[in-house]
Amino acid sequence: MGYTHYWNYTKPSKDFDDEYINVLLDINLGLKNLDKSIVLRGGDGTGTPEFTRERICFNGDGQQGLDHETFYFDKDPTDFTFCKTNNKPYDFFVGVCLLSLSNRITGFEFSSDGDNREWEPIILFYQKFIGEIKPSILEKLLTLQDNF
């Protein structure tokens, strides 16, 4: 087991391309304001992360032992996907991406092993540097309870 986020995206809308561009714009704002101590690498924990029109793919810094599982999202619908981060530092940006995807992409839904205490800093970062969060998403995250 380990600290994990889960999502599904089964029915792309006709506006997906425009929605996805907005996700990439959100990510860019997030990257500009991300704490420098959080190092993002490519999917294998080396190289550079990928935030393109084709996919979002990143991990933590493998050289520092701060990588775990790759966060990966592309345009292909999926019934169920997950990313086990083991709550390593890159998990913060996984949360930012999940918020953006849920906020922008019609039909994208996620859940998390995290509770409201773990999501609160991600929510505050998103609101400060990226924008508003849909009330339904915010309510869901702020009512998460500690799993222990």
Side-chain angles (χ1 to χ4, degrees), residues 5-114:
H5 304 286
Y6 315 86
W7 64 93
N8 62 49
Y9 172 63
T10 55
K11 297 178 184 176
S13 77
K14 63 179 178 53
D15 298 324
F16 177 84
D17 289 334
D18 292 335
E19 293 171 340
Y20 187 72
I21 292 295
N22 285 321
V23 169
L24 293 177
L25 293 171
D26 287 355
I27 287 172
N28 190 46
L29 287 172
L31 290 171
K32 286 181 181 178
N33 294 287
L34 188 62
D35 185 309
K36 301 302 181 219
S37 68
I38 300 173
V39 178
L40 303 179
R41 298 286 184 215
D44 65 356
T46 66
T48 57
E50 189 174 356
F51 304 107
T52 67
R53 290 181 185 253
E54 287 74 40
R55 73 192 55 81
I56 298 168
C57 181
F58 67 96
N59 204 327
D61 187 357
Q63 291 182 329
Q64 301 295 317
L66 299 175
D67 60 326
H68 208 69
E69 289 184 356
T70 302
F71 179 85
Y72 184 87
F73 176 83
D74 65 20
K75 298 176 181 187
D76 294 331
T78 180
D79 287 333
F80 179 77
T81 304
F82 64 92
C83 178
K84 189 180 301 185
T85 65
N86 213 25
N87 214 5
K88 293 187 176 178
Y90 80 103
D91 176 78
F92 183 88
F93 208 70
V94 168
V96 170
C97 289
L98 289 171
L99 271 179
S100 179
L101 287 161
S102 183
N103 213 31
R104 302 288 189 177
I105 304 286
T106 303
F108 182 92
E109 296 179 355
F110 77 95
S111 61
S112 173
D113 289 347

Side-chain angles (χ1 to χ4, degrees), residues 115-147:
D115 62 26
N116 57 355
R117 290 172 295 149
E118 291 157 325
W119 275 95
E120 187 174 15
I122 299 167
I123 290 167
L124 293 172
F125 176 88
Y126 192 96
Q127 290 172 322
K128 180 176 181 179
F129 297 111
I130 298 171
E132 291 184 37
I133 301 169
K134 291 177 183 174
S136 60
I137 298 167
L138 194 55
E139 181 180 343
K140 177 182 169 184
L141 291 172
L142 291 177
T143 58
L144 290 173
Q145 298 299 311
D146 191 351
N147 294 322

